Amino acid sequence: MTTQISKLKEGKVKFQGMIETVRDKKNIQFVVLKDFSGKIQVTVDKLAHADVGEIFSHLLTGATVTVEGELVKSEYVKMGGQEVLAESVEVTSTAEVYPIGPESNIDQRIDYRWLDLRQEKNLLMFKVQTLFTKALRDFLEEREFIEIHSPKLIAAASESGADVFEVKYFDTKAYLAQSPQFYKQMAMASGFGRIFECGPVFRAEKSHSRKHATEFTGFDLEFTGIESYEDVMKLEEEMLAYALKVVKEKYGEEIKNVFDVEVVVPSLPFPRIKLADLYVELEKRYGYTLPDSEKGDLSTEAERLCEKFSKDAYNHEFLFVTDYSAEKRAFYHMRKDGVPQGYDLIWKGVEITTGAQREHRYDVLKAQAKEKGLDKDVEFYLQFFKYGCQPHGGFGIGVDRMTMNLLNVPTVKEAMFIFRGPDRLTP
């Protein structure tokens, strides 16, 4: 096995890499090779190793090679102060001219996503995402949460009866899950107490906004032992503050250099505001108005203004918004005096979480499902609560939206390994 570039040590070396650039001069050649761990300069003395120089001269960006030579320190090399003096090279794959470049728009770049991902910033993005989700897991495992993997093929629409993908399932039909919500709550009825899941989520929404996708990665959790949805918000804010601290400690400097973004570890607690009070503040501060009939939910523009409001009012990047209308919330949210006991978490003007205390009482839950015309569709789900279930709550985080916000990339398309949207099924 050859050595990763970042682990090469002085002396004789053998390693594999992908060509980033080749600079040909009369008697010398400078080649930058990279792998997932880093980059290194390879220097070829064309007089001493004419065959090596000839091979590199005919290779384009993206070609891959195995190089043998000697790694030496050099104060003249900016790339880590070291270089490899090449003695032999073996071509492991050739490459054609790239069909995209930095000037290409995002949709053109997604056509060739595997090439677009070769950019240094994209590799860093997914290293950051990996660490972020690991930190979420570590936080929860420390608190005795267990991980489940719920099915994505289900017999009934997950939440609202709309916005689902229908698929043929042998001689009947099934749906792709909008969320693991029903099965998270089944785990509560099963006595699991504290669970989480990280997996695909499907939404059949014909939206072309910067934050929507038809398939994305959700990080969901559910837990018992709560007294109100305040307990759910408290857990989420502590978890996110922990995860962002972990990311800042390891990648904060790189993120600043590559994305020009300062990773902010948020103070606790996050600010909270009722939806009605938020609309009052947005009108008073920024002149934003909305018809009363539409104030039961957070409009797209109001969501965007939350970034400015939270900074101006609380000097904070995050904002919990509570007290939505029952009409706009899922039937399984517990209600108190008719008000859903849940929230949205807005970060940098984008909703990243919906959370709530769930309704765990069978009769109440059945009535709320019937009120929304879903009682027959979710009959299997209602069965979970007929035999007792502890009070519980939870939330789901969009991992891709979190990544988009963390690194301030323009759209969720750039924050996903492969984007899926109304007009995108390939690559």
Side-chain angles (χ1 to χ4, degrees), residues 139-427:
F139 179 92
L140 295 175
E141 287 172 2
E142 180 69 23
R143 286 153 183 79
E144 300 181 277
F145 279 70
I146 61 173
E147 186 169 7
I148 64 169
H149 302 283
S150 64
K152 304 310 167 201
L153 284 168
I154 59 176
S158 307
E159 299 184 15
S160 64
D163 298 333
V164 292
F165 289 110
E166 183 181 305
V167 296
K168 188 176 185 302
Y169 195 73
F170 301 107
D171 58 350
T172 185
K173 63 183 178 182
Y175 303 93
L176 296 179
Q178 280 179 298
S179 83
Q181 187 58 45
F182 289 174
Y183 295 103
K184 288 195 302 174
Q185 292 187 259
M186 189 189 85
M188 297 302 94
S190 302
F192 278 24
R194 299 180 162 205
I195 63 93
F196 71 94
E197 172 170 358
C198 188
V201 176
F202 301 90
R203 299 281 167 89
E205 297 175 294
K206 287 189 175 180
S207 175
H208 294 84
S209 82
R210 65 183 288 262
K211 64 181 184 178
H212 284 95
T214 52
E215 179 183 354
F216 59 90
T217 301
F219 193 101
D220 286 79
L221 62 86
E222 207 78 16
F223 62 109
T224 58
I226 70 170
E227 295 182 358
S228 79
Y229 70 102
E230 271 288 343
D231 294 323
V232 182
M233 289 193 286
K234 186 173 186 295
L235 182 95
E236 179 168 18
E237 65 191 4
E238 289 176 354
M239 182 179 76
L240 290 176
Y242 170 79
L244 288 170
K245 182 174 182 289
V246 169
V247 168
K248 185 178 180 69
E249 286 173 353
K250 183 166 185 178
Y251 290 120
E253 192 174 327
E254 267 189 90
I255 290 171
K256 178 66 177 173
N257 291 338
V258 175
F259 290 95
D260 194 26
V261 173
E262 192 73 47
V263 178
V264 176
V265 179
S267 59
L268 298 175
F270 292 3
R272 293 141 162 77
I273 190 168
K274 293 180 179 180
L275 182 61
D277 294 337
L278 175 63
Y279 277 122
V280 170
E281 289 289 340
L282 295 184
E283 181 172 1
K284 182 173 68 176
R285 290 170 181 264
Y286 315 118
Y288 177 72
T289 59
L290 199 67
D292 288 346
S293 60
E294 297 178 34
K295 288 184 176 179
D297 201 2
L298 192 62
S299 71
T300 301
E301 180 61 16
E303 184 180 308
R304 189 186 66 79
L305 283 170
C306 281
E307 177 176 18
K308 182 170 176 55
F309 169 69
S310 192
K311 285 278 186 67
D312 292 347
Y314 309 107
N315 191 30
H316 210 283
E317 289 190 345
F318 290 87
L319 181 67
F320 281 123
V321 181
T322 67
D323 291 57
Y324 287 76
S325 75
E327 181 189 352
K328 299 297 183 181
R329 298 278 98 169
F331 73 91
Y332 49 78
H333 286 202
M334 180 176 279
R335 300 175 193 169
K336 186 176 181 180
D337 300 323
V339 179
Q341 300 298 285
Y343 65 88
D344 279 349
L345 178 58
I346 315 299
W347 185 32
K348 296 182 181 179
V350 177
E351 178 232 305
I352 58 164
T353 293
T354 294
Q357 178 170 5
R358 319 302 187 186
E359 181 51 72
H360 63 281
R361 296 163 296 184
Y362 173 72
D363 291 341
V364 178
L365 189 59
K366 185 177 180 181
Q368 290 183 183
K370 186 175 183 180
E371 172 192 299
K372 289 184 179 282
L374 293 171
D375 50 325
K376 297 299 180 185
D377 289 335
V378 298
E379 204 161 8
F380 85 97
Y381 159 78
L382 295 173
Q383 298 299 310
F384 302 158
F385 303 92
K386 289 180 74 172
Y387 308 97
C389 184
Q390 283 184 272
H392 63 277
F395 56 85
I397 295 174
V399 172
D400 311 288
R401 284 190 188 180
M402 278 293 300
T403 306
M404 176 183 80
N405 276 11
L406 176 57
L407 303 177
N408 284 1
V409 297
T411 77
V412 76
K413 292 179 180 182
E414 299 199 40
M416 305 179 74
F417 180 68
I418 295 286
F419 171 72
R420 286 289 175 263
D423 306 317
R424 173 70 67 176
L425 266 177
T426 57

